[in-house]
Amino acid sequence: MEERSRLVASGNLLQAHSWKGMLETCGITVELRGEALLGGVGELPADLQDVELWVGESQYDQALAQLETLNSVSPKWQCVKCHEINEGNFELCWNCCAERSELIS
Ligand SMILES: [Zn+2]
């Protein structure tokens, strides 16, 4: 069996699932691992679960490039309230919890 490499350790089950789906559309086989998958899913808030994405070593570079593409699709944004820079996939300012604004630096 092919060696697998850990691609991402994400704390967010929903995020991990969306990455998995996106990578699989590109023909990359993704395995989700994590304690959250062993049982009791649905009991805990998705963002408290410890989830990892694993891919085969031969597809690791490709998978990484795809993730970077995905991340670059969401530009960073600046909070209008506290002027903090937030990652593109954040819907709320991590610093002050203000809603995402259109002020993009
Ligand atoms: Zn803010």
Side-chain angles (χ1 to χ4, degrees), residues 79 81-82 93 95-96 98:
C79 179
K81 217 166 151 188
C82 70
C93 175
N95 189 47
C96 74

Side-chain angles (χ1 to χ4, degrees), residues 47 77-82 84-101:
D47 59 359
W77 55 279
Q78 187 175 17
C79 179
V80 280
K81 217 166 151 188
C82 70
E84 194 61 55
I85 305 293
N86 288 277
E87 294 296 327
N89 58 346
F90 287 10
E91 292 304 321
L92 295 174
C93 175
W94 66 267
N95 189 47
C96 74
C97 290
E99 288 210 31
R100 181 174 183 158
S101 58

